[in-house]
Amino acid sequence: MSSATGTSRFTTGAGKPINKHIPPYDFKARYNDLLEKHKILKEKYEQKCEQMGNLENLPEQLEETQSHLVSTTEELKNTKIDKKCLQRQINSQQQKIESLADSLTKTTEELQKLKQTYNKLKQEHGELSVELLELSDSSADLDDKNFKLMEDITAYKEQLFRSDVERKELHNSVMDLRGNIRVFCRVRPALDVEQDKSLCGWNYVDENTVEIINNDPLVKAKNNGHIFSFYQVFHPCSKHEDIFELASPLIQSALDGYNVCIFAYGQTGSGKTFTMDGTTRNLGVIARTVDLLFDSTKAYRNLGWQYEIKVQFLEIYNELLYDLLDNEPKEMEIRMTTNNKNDIYVSNITQETVDNADRLRQLMKVARMNRATAATVGNEPGSRSPKTSVRMNETKNINRSLSELTNVILALLQKQDHIPYRNSKLTHLLMPSLGGNSKTLMFINVAPFQDCFNESVGN
């Protein structure tokens, strides 16, 4: 130990050296100074040792740091990719936001318009509600009026129905006063191909009387004029419209429930078919009757009447009955009904219910075709003698039927007690439509020619 005076120097914890002057004799102070220096040096040693220890772990830390750097780099790469994706999503969402913003703007404008419309409708609704209340009150009044009107309509319908019944009775009375059997005479005109034929003399005295004059030179010196009276006389220029106007009251009687018979009578070529059937452009009595029937029934249904139209078509040929709606051979007879001795029916005949005029015309066409077929019965090829015999028998039966028809009509006009209906199939079949309260209209058709004079007078 040196006894010389010494100077102590040490570093503080802040690293700054502090110089302390210790007297040489102050061993204690010098000892304490050494202890303090030892403590400081020991602390430095421990720090150095700790640093050395830390330096030994640096390779591992470096390796971990490098690994962490690689991982962080990868994460950074993925993060950048995610960032790009997110950026694209952000851009897309931004576009959607912009689109939604535009839509929101438009929707807002539409909402404003709808609000305006709503307010307008609300106002109209209020006005309509007020109007509805007024209409409800008015409707109640109208219901009361309607109920009263329905009662009046019901009463009027009953009155109208009774009036129609009374009309039927009055119409029938008028028909009875005018005669239940009426005879019209129609003189047909000469056709273009008949202009060279000699004509009888015709003097139409009035609408009910006609005089036919024989223009044969051999009989001119004699009384050659014949006057006939009919219910109505139709000259060659008469139109179907005028004829049907006078015939239609009988159709009305049929609608009123009475039996009606309308037929044409006359020699071959006198205009019977033209009068009854007419042509496509100039309808005859039958075709006009079909239209009138269905037009009238349609109107009468509104008055409460119910109608059902059933039709049958038959032909009498050589005193045999033929069903014109069925070509199959079968036996047909005229029989009396059990509930009415004056009513008859034909057994095994085809009957069809029709509800419109077109269907009835179809059946009429079928009947005409079948009639043409039936007319060939007995006319099959053979010798001339059998044909002549058939023709003679046909003519005989036709003349007999017409003769018996004349007898029946004369008996009815003379109001005889016994009417010979059963003397022929024709009169037997027409019995319900000729007698009783039935109405009959007969057309006497005559040809205007001189060579038909005898037939015309004989009719």
Side-chain angles (χ1 to χ4, degrees):
M1 175 178 290
S2 178
S3 60
T5 303
T7 302
S8 177
R9 183 181 182 183
F10 61 92
T11 304
T12 64
K16 295 181 178 180
I18 301 174
N19 296 321
K20 296 176 63 177
H21 180 71
I22 301 172
Y25 57 84
D26 193 354
F27 291 102
K28 185 176 181 179
R30 291 175 67 184
Y31 176 75
N32 290 332
D33 182 53
L34 289 172
L35 287 175
E36 185 175 354
K37 290 180 178 178
H38 179 268
K39 182 179 180 181
I40 292 172
L41 292 172
K42 187 177 180 180
E43 289 176 357
K44 289 182 177 180
Y45 174 76
E46 290 176 352
Q47 289 178 357
K48 296 298 182 183
C49 287
E50 184 178 355
Q51 291 176 358
M52 288 298 293
N54 291 334
L55 290 173
E56 290 177 355
N57 294 328
L58 283 177
E60 294 179 358
Q61 292 178 0
L62 178 61
E63 185 177 352
E64 290 177 0
T65 302
Q66 289 178 342
S67 176
H68 181 68
L69 179 60
V70 172
S71 175
T72 302
T73 303
E74 186 68 26
E75 289 179 0
L76 179 60
K77 182 179 179 181
N78 293 333
T79 300
K80 288 181 178 180
I81 295 173
D82 293 340
K83 179 183 177 183
K84 291 180 179 180
C85 292
L86 289 173
Q87 187 64 43
R88 286 195 296 269
Q89 293 178 2
I90 289 172
N91 294 335
S92 176
Q93 294 298 325
Q94 187 66 32
Q95 292 177 356
K96 290 182 179 179
I97 290 172
E98 293 175 357
S99 176
L100 289 172
D102 294 339
S103 298
L104 178 61
T105 302
K106 294 179 180 178
T107 303
T108 303
E109 294 175 355
E110 292 178 357
L111 179 60
Q112 293 299 325
K113 293 180 180 178
L114 289 174
K115 284 183 178 179
Q116 294 175 358
T117 303
Y118 168 75
N119 293 330
K120 183 178 179 181
L121 290 175
K122 186 176 181 181
Q123 182 180 357
E124 291 179 354
H125 177 265
E127 295 174 354
L128 289 174
S129 297
V130 175
E131 186 177 353
L132 177 61
L133 292 175
E134 295 175 352
L135 289 176
S136 297
D137 296 338
S138 177
S139 177
D141 295 338
L142 289 175
D143 287 340
D144 293 339
K145 292 180 180 179
N146 184 61
F147 180 76
K148 294 178 181 178
L149 287 175
M150 290 302 295
E151 290 181 338
D152 293 341
I153 289 174
T154 301
Y156 292 151
K157 282 186 176 180
E158 292 177 357
Q159 293 178 9
L160 185 59
F161 185 83
R162 290 194 296 268
S163 297
D164 192 57
V165 173
E166 184 178 354
R167 181 209 48 85
K168 290 184 177 183
E169 294 174 352
L170 292 174
H171 178 76
N172 186 57
S173 298
V174 172
M175 295 295 289
D176 289 342
L177 292 173
R178 292 179 176 178
N180 286 342
I181 299 179
R182 306 180 190 185
V183 181
F184 289 175
C185 176
R186 186 180 192 185
V187 182
R188 79 166 176 87
L191 303 177
D192 292 340
V193 296
E194 299 171 324
Q195 296 300 320
D196 295 335
K197 297 185 67 173
S198 298
L199 301 179
C200 299
W202 294 94
N203 178 24
Y204 300 96
V205 180
D206 54 35
E207 61 182 11
N208 308 114
T209 308
V210 62
E211 181 183 13
I212 179 173
I213 302 171
N214 190 345
N215 285 334
D216 187 346
L218 299 178
V219 295
K220 264 196 171 183
K222 302 179 182 179
N223 184 13
N224 55 1
H226 299 268
I227 297 177
F228 298 93
S229 295
F230 301 94
Y231 187 88
Q232 185 72 35
V233 175
F234 296 101
H235 54 74
C237 295
S238 298
K239 298 180 180 180
H240 275 148
E241 292 86 346
D242 301 330
I243 295 172
F244 189 70
E245 183 179 354
L246 293 178
S248 59
L250 278 82
I251 311 303
Q252 182 61 57
S253 293
L255 290 167
D256 292 344
Y258 296 95
N259 292 334
V260 172
C261 176
I262 301 177
F263 64 96
Y265 178 93
Q267 71 180 107
T268 301
S270 59
K272 299 187 297 297
T273 301
F274 180 71
T275 297
M276 300 304 288
D277 292 342
T279 62
T280 304
R281 297 183 178 181
N282 191 9
L283 302 180
V285 173
I286 295 177
R288 294 174 187 269
T289 297
V290 170
D291 292 332
L292 179 60
L293 277 177
F294 285 97
D295 290 342
S296 299
T297 54
K298 182 179 179 181
Y300 287 142
R301 285 189 178 97
N302 295 329
L303 299 179
W305 297 100
Q306 296 296 323
Y307 286 89
E308 184 178 45
I309 299 178
K310 298 180 179 180
V311 295
Q312 300 172 347
F313 293 87
L314 63 85
E315 179 180 28
I316 301 175
Y317 182 78
N318 285 340
E319 287 298 292
L320 295 177
L321 302 178
Y322 294 92
D323 186 351
L324 296 182
L325 294 182
D326 184 6
N327 282 328
E328 294 296 325
K330 55 185 175 182
E331 291 187 5
M332 299 168 59
E333 296 181 357
I334 301 174
R335 298 178 180 177
M336 305 295 297
T337 58
T338 56
N339 57 347
N340 189 343
K341 293 182 179 180
N342 293 324
D343 203 0
I344 57 96
Y345 70 96
V346 178
S347 63
N348 295 328
I349 191 171
T350 302
Q351 178 174 273
E352 184 167 334
T353 302
V354 293
D355 55 8
N356 60 76
D358 289 337
R359 178 55 182 162
L360 181 51
R361 293 189 189 96
Q362 291 175 358
L363 295 177
M364 290 168 59
K365 184 177 180 180
V366 172
R368 280 193 294 269
M369 293 175 63
N370 289 337
R371 181 185 178 189
T373 301
T376 62
V377 174
N379 288 335
E380 291 82 0
S383 64
R384 181 176 180 182
S385 178
K387 286 185 179 180
T388 303
S389 177
V390 167
R391 289 296 183 188
M392 290 178 62
N393 188 50
E394 176 184 341
T395 302
K396 177 182 177 182
N397 285 318
I398 292 175
N399 290 336
R400 177 192 168 196
S401 294
L402 297 178
S403 175
E404 295 298 339
L405 178 61
T406 301
N407 293 335
V408 166
I409 292 177
L410 289 175
L412 289 170
L413 291 173
Q414 296 170 4
K415 298 182 180 180
Q416 296 179 5
D417 294 334
H418 173 69
I419 310 298
Y421 290 116
R422 297 176 181 268
N423 287 358
S424 73
K425 291 288 179 64
L426 176 62
T427 54
H428 195 186
L429 183 66
L430 294 179
M431 182 175 68
S433 300
L434 293 176
N437 61 358
S438 62
K439 322 295 177 188
T440 303
L441 170 59
M442 179 173 67
F443 283 95
I444 298 294
N445 291 91
V446 292
F449 306 113
Q450 177 61 41
D451 57 7
C452 299
F453 177 82
N454 292 331
E455 284 286 349
S456 298
V457 173
N459 285 339

